[in-house]
Amino acid sequence: MIDIKINEAPVSRISEVDFSNLAFGKEFSDHMFIADYDGIEWKNFRIQPYGPIPLSPALSCMHYGQAIFEGMKAYRGIDNSIQIFRPYDNLKRMNESAERMCMQPIPEEVYVEGLKAVCRMDEKWIPANEGSALYLRPFLIATDDFLGIHPSRNYMFMIYGCAVGAYYNETLKIKIETEFARAVKGGVGEAKTAGNYASALYATSIAQTEGFHQVLWTDAFEHKYLEELGSSNFFILSGNTLITPAANGTVLKGITRDSVIQLARKLGYKVEERLISIDEVIALNNEGKLDEAFATGTAATVSPICELSYQGVSIHLKHKENSVAGMLKNKLENIKRCKEEDFFGWNEKVMMTQTA
Ligand code: COI
């Protein structure tokens, strides 16, 4: 057990929030968790009111980019229990990112107890409505006050919460990106590091001015093989087979991606993690065998794609009433809300509550 010092917010902001109409990423809950690493040990575990923190202008994360983060969600079950979805898998990925970025890993008890402390403090912020959740954002930054490049000795680990609705409210129009690249073999594409998102902004903003929601990245050398979307992983369905690009260094190992793979296999679908070329997708479409395409992510959940555009020519995918993407999304939501059995043991129980 870690000893967490609690400084409660004098006033809650919760009455200002319209939980029936939650946008994504705006409604930060009242508290945040912070821990410091001083080169020797993790210490100063504390909960404090959500808000600005004083930082030195020479902080190494702001200049040399040692900054990693995670995303996960806390849910209110139909029995009013509070659970976090797959926190140990998120921690594993966070510490893999930490290793790749030469950062200090987070001990399991600091991570999980920090998450639970935020959920307990801000339990009323965890919505009951379908499609909503308390998004939890753990992040780790290098805090050496130093001008020069080396792995930082000091770190700050924080977790804040944000009450969220859907990240995407529409089916997605996607541009297959063949000019810019997100990741190369041997690079940091697999790490959930801030720079990966910054470097994606330029191509994404061009795609958005062209009317697309997102880009679908391709390999950096030939722009021939599909990788991932800027915000999520990518799947196609052909018959009874789901196909997703293999996560072998340039693709983020999405927790929702893995949940969809495990769930689909349990439901009898064949799932292939492998190279998918643009030519293969076009050929499947020409043969009438491209049944669905969809995105997966903590924020995106399972989001159907209605258009894939490649060098100005679009593949249009029809919306289906009983789509496999929709079925997988509902099943995942039901597991998280304790409406269906959690066969995989994905939910980490935090507490039982009285309120809905
Ligand atoms: C997530 O899905 O949790 C992410 O970090 C992606 C981001 C677009 C919000």
Side-chain angles (χ1 to χ4, degrees):
M1 283 288 280
I2 56 167
D3 186 19
I4 304 178
K5 209 167 130 225
I6 297 196
N7 171 11
E8 200 167 333
V11 185
S12 172
R13 230 180 41 75
I14 199 163
S15 60
E16 297 166 22
V17 179
D18 177 2
F19 280 90
S20 61
N21 192 20
L22 280 172
F24 192 97
K26 294 192 170 153
E27 304 294 2
F28 300 108
S29 67
D30 290 327
H31 297 92
M32 58 190 186
F33 171 82
I34 308 185
D36 300 313
Y37 184 79
D38 62 0
I40 297 167
E41 59 174 354
W42 283 101
K43 59 185 193 183
N44 303 335
F45 307 115
R46 57 206 187 273
I47 286 276
Q48 66 184 59
Y50 175 85
I53 43 170
L55 294 175
S56 157
L59 217 62
S60 55
C61 67
M62 295 199 277
H63 303 269
Y64 312 116
Q66 277 187 297
I68 59 173
F69 67 95
E70 271 304 321
M72 69 190 76
K73 284 176 173 167
Y75 294 87
R76 186 178 293 279
I78 44 165
D79 57 353
N80 270 328
S81 61
I82 301 296
Q83 38 261 324
I84 310 172
F85 191 65
R86 303 190 67 175
Y88 296 97
D89 298 297
N90 273 97
L91 169 63
K92 181 170 176 288
R93 187 173 66 180
M94 181 138 202
N95 281 341
E96 285 166 5
S97 300
E99 187 180 354
R100 180 63 183 83
M101 301 302 290
C102 278
M103 299 172 81
Q104 183 62 29
I106 318 289
E108 183 177 295
E109 60 175 359
V110 175
Y111 195 81
V112 176
E113 288 182 37
L115 287 169
K116 289 186 177 176
V118 173
C119 290
R120 286 198 192 97
M121 289 301 291
D122 288 346
E123 171 259 308
K124 293 199 164 45
W125 286 80
I126 304 176
N129 341 20
E130 195 85 2
S132 305
L134 185 71
Y135 185 96
L136 296 163
R137 170 53 61 86
F139 66 102
L140 178 68
I141 54 173
T143 52
D144 271 11
D145 216 358
F146 174 77
L147 212 164
I149 305 174
H150 69 187
S152 184
R153 275 170 50 80
N154 296 278
Y155 292 90
M156 185 184 270
F157 173 60
M158 300 180 62
I159 305 169
Y160 64 80
C162 185
V164 297
Y167 191 75
Y168 294 117
N169 286 308
E170 299 166 307
T171 49
L172 303 179
K173 296 181 179 180
I174 301 298
K175 174 182 175 182
I176 299 177
E177 179 58 57
T178 51
E179 185 181 355
F180 302 103
R182 174 185 175 274
V184 286
K185 280 241 179 315
V188 296
E190 200 173 73
K192 202 160 170 70
T193 185
N196 281 339
Y197 293 82
S199 73
L201 292 174
Y202 187 69
T204 309
S205 58
I206 294 173
Q208 286 171 347
T209 58
E210 294 167 350
F212 299 100
H213 293 96
Q214 262 297 341
V215 292
L216 172 51
W217 296 105
T218 52
D219 71 278
F221 294 111
E222 298 177 275
H223 293 296
K224 192 171 160 189
Y225 296 100
L226 303 176
E227 298 215 316
E228 65 173 71
L229 301 161
S231 55
S232 41
N233 292 113
F234 176 72
F235 282 81
I236 57 171
L237 175 77
S238 179
N240 196 39
T241 305
L242 280 170
I243 313 169
T244 189
N248 55 11
T250 53
V251 170
L252 193 80
K253 288 181 184 157
I255 307 294
T256 311
R257 172 184 181 277
D258 181 68
S259 307
V260 160
I261 291 172
Q262 290 195 50
L263 192 56
R265 284 192 176 134
K266 184 169 172 63
L267 295 171
Y269 291 87
K270 192 170 162 213
V271 184
E272 296 174 357
E273 297 176 72
R274 61 168 172 83
L275 284 177
I276 313 175
S277 69
I278 300 169
D279 288 348
E280 178 180 354
V281 174
I282 294 172
L284 281 173
N285 185 53
N286 290 343
E287 292 160 22
K289 291 184 185 162
L290 182 63
D291 294 311
E292 293 180 32
F294 57 90
T296 64
T298 299
T301 66
V302 180
S303 295
I305 292 170
C306 62
E307 181 178 344
L308 284 170
S309 171
Y310 175 58
Q311 295 181 339
V313 180
S314 283
I315 292 176
H316 292 278
L317 291 146
K318 284 210 188 73
H319 172 73
K320 293 188 189 144
E321 272 312 310
N322 296 314
S323 69
V324 171
M327 179 276 292
L328 290 167
K329 179 180 177 162
N330 289 342
K331 284 219 167 273
L332 277 176
E333 178 82 13
N334 287 347
I335 291 172
K336 293 165 181 172
R337 298 222 174 259
C338 312
K339 289 187 189 168
E340 278 190 42
E341 193 190 337
D342 176 17
F343 353 79
F344 301 101
W346 286 335
N347 291 330
E348 172 72 9
K349 183 88 74 194
V350 178
M351 64 196 290
M352 285 303 295
T353 71
Q354 302 301 317
T355 44

